[in-house]
């Protein structure tokens, strides 16, 4: 913690730099908007979960809602839950959780990095990754999270492959591979920059 003496010795910013630096607070509404978006995801998660539970107990209305939401198609009517529908719904729920995790990383990490310190040191619930987060680390973690989300989407597509055109399957696979190589390139670039910084400091 900074002492009053060190705070008093801190140079006062000139008006224009102070104004420019204060403009970082314009990002606050963006993070509040992401929190609202996460609330929508939570509502969607519970809606799908309730439909799944109701369909498990024989509700045809809930079953049709699930079939429509996951884009499942069949040549014959679906009288009850089957393994494929359950798997697609569960993957959709996992997808929502992973996107929610991505939102948390962007909201908490972005606010801590670009807006203001949260002073969470010593807090029992402080995320482990937040203690060493910076713009570079956040970029790598976001890339990794996007790969995980893309993997879930690709798995959902392959499970329900009969309802997709071959071009869609190829395109989604190519996009996933692109994400994968992009994340590797970001991580490698970050490693090179860190190595260069360490060599310079020595």
């Amino acid at each position: 913690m900074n002492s009053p003496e060190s705070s008093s010795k801190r140079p006062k910013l000139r008006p224009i730099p102070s104004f420019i630096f204060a403009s970082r607070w314009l990002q606050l509404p963006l993070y509040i908007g992401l929190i609202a978006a996460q609330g929508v995801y939570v509502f969607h998660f519970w809606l799908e979960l309730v439909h799944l539970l109701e369909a498990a107990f024989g509700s045809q209305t809930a079953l049709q809602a699930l079939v429509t939401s996951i884009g499942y198609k069949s040549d014959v009517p679906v009288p009850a839950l089957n393994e494929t529908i359950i798997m697609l719904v569960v993957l959709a729920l996992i997808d929502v959780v992973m996107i929610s995790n991505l939102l948390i990383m962007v909201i908490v990490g972005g606010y801590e990095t670009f807006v203001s310190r949260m002073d969470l040191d010593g807090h029992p619930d402080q995320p482990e990754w937040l203690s060493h987060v910076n713009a570079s680390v956040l970029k790598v973690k976001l890339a990794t999270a996007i790969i995980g989300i893309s993997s879930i989407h690709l798995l959902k597509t392959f499970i329900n492959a009969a309802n997709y055109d071959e071009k869609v399957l190829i395109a989604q696979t190519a996009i996933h591979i692109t994400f994968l190589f992009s994340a590797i390139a970001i991580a490698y670039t970050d490693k090179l920059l860190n190595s260069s910084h360490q060599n310079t400091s020595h």
Side-chain angles (χ1 to χ4, degrees), residues 105 129 132-143 190 194:
M105 276 194 284
W129 53 268
H132 53 271
V133 71
N134 54 43
S136 182
V137 172
L138 190 60
K139 190 164 48 179
V140 173
K141 287 187 175 295
L142 291 180
D190 181 58
N194 287 336

Side-chain angles (χ1 to χ4, degrees), residues 1-198:
M1 184 179 294
N2 293 331
S3 64
E5 292 182 2
S6 61
S7 299
S8 62
K9 292 179 181 178
R10 188 176 300 162
K12 186 177 180 181
L13 290 176
R14 289 171 295 158
I16 292 179
S18 179
F19 174 75
I20 294 174
F21 185 57
S23 68
R24 71 192 189 280
W25 288 101
L26 289 174
Q27 292 191 29
L28 182 59
L30 305 181
Y31 292 117
I32 293 175
L34 288 180
I35 293 172
Q38 189 170 28
V40 174
Y41 264 108
V42 171
F43 175 77
H44 177 73
F45 178 93
W46 282 106
L47 193 63
E48 292 292 298
L49 183 60
V50 168
H51 284 159
L52 180 62
L53 294 175
E54 289 176 346
F57 285 99
S59 172
Q60 286 297 314
T61 304
L63 178 60
Q64 290 307 313
L66 287 177
V67 169
T68 302
S69 67
I70 62 177
Y72 182 76
K73 297 178 183 178
S74 177
D75 296 332
V76 296
V78 182
L81 277 177
N82 57 46
E83 185 180 357
T84 302
I85 294 177
I86 294 172
M87 192 178 301
L88 288 171
V89 173
V90 170
L91 285 174
L93 295 178
I94 293 173
D95 191 28
V96 172
V97 172
M98 294 188 71
I99 292 176
S100 181
N101 291 341
L102 178 62
L103 281 170
I104 286 294
M105 276 194 284
V106 172
I107 294 168
V108 178
Y111 183 89
E112 173 85 10
T113 304
F114 301 109
V115 180
S116 180
R117 296 292 182 188
M118 289 185 169
D119 296 326
L120 294 178
D121 293 338
H123 194 284
D125 294 329
Q126 179 187 9
E128 181 272 334
W129 53 268
L130 191 60
S131 60
H132 53 271
V133 71
N134 54 43
S136 182
V137 172
L138 190 60
K139 190 164 48 179
V140 173
K141 287 187 175 295
L142 291 180
T144 306
I146 289 172
I147 289 174
I149 294 169
S150 176
S151 300
I152 295 295
H153 274 277
L154 193 60
L155 183 57
K156 285 168 59 181
T157 301
F158 282 141
I159 291 174
N160 201 21
N163 297 321
Y164 290 92
D165 187 73
E166 184 178 348
K167 291 182 180 179
V168 175
L169 297 174
I170 295 173
Q172 287 199 8
T173 304
I175 291 170
H176 178 71
I177 293 173
T178 302
F179 282 149
L180 184 60
F181 279 111
S182 297
I184 293 173
I186 290 171
Y188 182 69
T189 303
D190 181 58
K191 182 180 178 181
L192 289 178
L193 290 174
N194 287 336
S195 299
S196 175
H197 178 71
Q198 290 175 359

